[in-house]
Amino acid sequence: MRKKVVLLGATGSIGSSTLRVLRAHTDRLQLIGVAAQSHDRELAAICREFAVPHAVLHSEDAYRRARQGSYFPGTTQLSCGPEALAALATLPEADIVLIAVVGTAGLNPALAAIEAGKDIALANKELLVLGGAHVIAAARRKGVRLLPTDSEHNAIFQCLQGHPRQQLDKLILTASGGQFRDSPAAALAEVSPEMATQHPNWSMGPKITVDSATMANKGLELIEAHWLFDLEPDRLEVVIHPQSVVHSLVQFIDGSILAQLSPPSMTFAIQHCLLYPERAPGVEPTTDFKKPFSLDFRAPDYARYPCLRLAYDALRAGGAAGAIFNAANEVAVERFLAKEIAYLEIPQLIEHCLGSMPNSQQPSLHQLLQTDAETRELAQSLKF
Ligand code: NDP
Ligand code: MG
């Protein structure tokens, strides 16, 4: 029996890596639902290639365009809007839902899929940073698998297999350090959106590429790791590893450290999640030890990466601070890409929001969503 897969965010970077995995494993995996925001023609092409029966476009304009253009195959049922997205995530026949939409738009479909008892492959980290307590609690209550697809968390998940929790000392997340890790500090003031959306190792969507440069991405991943693996900030470390071959490490109480290695491509983690607990040949060559290469590690410099320090602060503060960090960062990146604020103003905007938004301990999901909305409003209004 083939596993039936729903892919939210099919036209993005994770989406296209997922399609490569699906093409290579048509005997094991079947794509039964796809969603995108507004790339209607790209989504139609995916529906044609994989004979996908259900598709959702989040944008009404794109949906109208697609209806008029009638380029979706007649066998695909196309719908639109947030309810349609939740319905797609809960299709009765679906076995696993891969959440690869960007930003907090992934939260509602993720919660809906969990409530419907679906296993989740989670690429989207923002939804855990916003609503981690609620998502994890719901997944436990429903007994669904939450398979981490973000490469660091996937590495940790793989290294933890078969080891009792009391043997665990700490988790060490690797970070490439982004495209400006060796630039002179003075040059950072001149970083443009064009420069910040190019990554030396990974090919990813624009938001996460900027997050990688500022290391806000690693900050989000610290908070993601806190929720996924239930560890306090002092047991979560970050190390810069420019080659992006060691995807993270797990240190045990006796000092032994396990790591997971593979080339910097998301197909490895995606395939691991979709086929879990089985394994099959990968879609591209893995690290070749017959060729010489070296792996470097060094501690991050917080003066260069203030977003990382701010993420630790948010994690230690707890409550709604993760939601504030995430919303402020999302708006800061949007405003930077729109050339409204400078690169070095991204951490300033986040710090201002963390300092001025009221925090609350054990917030309800409703309170978190309200904090998210209010932080966005504040972050939009800040002048520099
Ligand atoms: P992209 O920007 O490349 O793709 C985002 C996808 O989500 C697109 O298919 C987009 O559709 C779709 N989308 C956005 N909003 C909605 C919505 N409201 N409803 C339905 N679909 C929507 O992002 P990435 O693939 O880079 O990242 C996706 C997530 O995975 C992020 O949370 C990121 O942090 C995480 N991640 C990404 C990694 C990577 O290597 N790229 C690595 C690890 C994690 P459209 O094309 O129409 O806009
Ligand atoms: Mg990652």
Side-chain angles (χ1 to χ4, degrees):
M1 267 270 282
R2 293 193 293 170
K3 235 188 229 182
K4 295 189 171 60
V5 179
V6 170
L7 171 58
L8 307 185
T11 51
S13 158
I14 292 281
S16 71
S17 295
T18 305
L19 299 178
R20 290 180 66 194
V21 171
L22 293 166
R23 272 183 207 109
H25 298 291
T26 47
D27 53 334
R28 295 165 186 260
L29 299 169
Q30 182 188 5
L31 189 58
I32 62 157
V34 286
Q37 165 73 4
S38 53
H39 281 103
D40 48 341
R41 285 190 179 270
E42 289 79 354
L43 196 68
I46 295 167
C47 290
R48 217 171 301 120
E49 178 185 350
F50 291 88
V52 184
H54 303 278
V56 171
L57 277 164
H58 191 256
S59 142
E60 269 181 38
D61 285 348
Y63 175 74
R64 240 176 275 122
R65 209 165 46 225
R67 279 263 172 250
Q68 281 162 8
S70 62
Y71 35 78
F72 272 79
T75 48
T76 301
Q77 195 191 328
L78 180 66
S79 38
C80 169
E83 287 82 27
L85 202 60
L88 190 73
T90 56
L91 277 175
E93 58 273 39
D95 297 307
I96 185 162
V97 181
L98 199 163
I99 313 236
V101 300
V102 68
T104 44
L107 181 64
N108 280 336
L111 285 171
I114 291 170
E115 285 306 325
K118 308 294 178 194
D119 283 345
I120 307 282
L122 192 59
N124 177 300
K125 59 198 84 182
E126 296 91 344
L127 75 88
L128 273 188
V129 177
L130 169 63
H134 300 278
V135 174
I136 297 294
R140 287 221 180 98
R141 182 165 43 78
K142 297 300 288 188
V144 304
R145 280 187 184 136
L146 209 56
L147 295 160
T149 313
D150 203 351
S151 55
E152 295 76 4
H153 307 75
N154 183 265
I156 292 165
F157 181 79
Q158 294 199 44
C159 293
L160 283 174
Q161 297 287 297
H163 297 282
R165 198 192 149 80
Q166 60 272 25
Q167 295 181 353
L168 173 63
D169 181 9
K170 62 183 174 188
L171 305 179
I172 305 159
L173 278 76
T174 52
S176 71
Q179 47 279 59
F180 311 122
R181 66 179 167 241
D182 299 317
S183 307
L188 297 180
E190 305 303 322
V191 167
S192 67
E194 292 72 22
M195 292 155 75
T197 45
Q198 303 292 325
H199 197 281
N201 304 352
W202 297 91
S203 157
M204 310 183 285
K207 193 242 171 196
I208 185 174
T209 306
V210 178
D211 285 351
S212 180
T214 62
M215 274 181 84
N217 181 50
K218 214 49 51 179
L220 294 169
E221 290 180 355
L222 277 173
I223 305 175
E224 183 186 13
H226 162 74
W227 290 118
L228 284 171
F229 305 111
D230 192 20
L231 282 187
E232 294 316 304
D234 295 344
R235 295 170 71 192
L236 298 169
E237 276 181 18
V238 172
V239 64
I240 296 211
H241 164 48
Q243 293 87 0
S244 302
V245 169
V246 173
H247 295 296
S248 276
L249 308 102
V250 171
Q251 182 168 322
F252 294 93
I253 49 174
D254 59 1
S256 278
I257 298 174
L258 293 188
Q260 183 267 338
L261 284 71
S262 51
S265 161
M266 289 305 295
T267 61
F268 294 91
I270 292 168
Q271 173 166 320
H272 177 260
C273 291
L274 291 183
L275 295 184
Y276 185 84
E278 291 178 21
R279 289 189 188 258
V283 302
E284 55 192 309
T286 191
T287 309
D288 181 359
F289 283 85
K290 292 191 286 301
K291 293 184 190 143
F293 66 95
S294 48
L295 301 174
D296 301 300
F297 300 91
R298 63 175 193 247
D301 167 6
Y302 289 92
R304 180 175 288 265
Y305 300 110
C307 290
L308 187 59
R309 175 181 55 78
L310 292 168
Y312 267 115
D313 290 350
L315 188 53
R316 289 201 175 94
I324 298 168
F325 176 86
N326 177 62
N329 179 57
E330 264 188 55
V331 173
V333 173
E334 273 164 29
R335 292 187 64 186
F336 165 67
L337 291 176
K339 303 197 173 176
E340 283 175 36
I341 65 170
Y343 180 75
L344 290 178
E345 286 165 347
I346 295 175
Q348 290 175 27
L349 188 152
I350 299 171
E351 186 153 28
H352 183 94
C353 289
L354 279 171
S356 46
M357 283 294 299
N359 194 0
S360 53
Q361 291 303 318
Q362 299 197 324
S364 66
L365 194 55
H366 176 73
Q367 283 171 316
L368 285 169
L369 291 168
Q370 207 168 334
T371 299
D372 176 82
E374 287 167 8
T375 306
R376 281 167 201 272
E377 220 169 283
L378 173 64
Q380 281 295 355
S381 68
L382 289 175
K383 301 258 183 304
F384 288 90

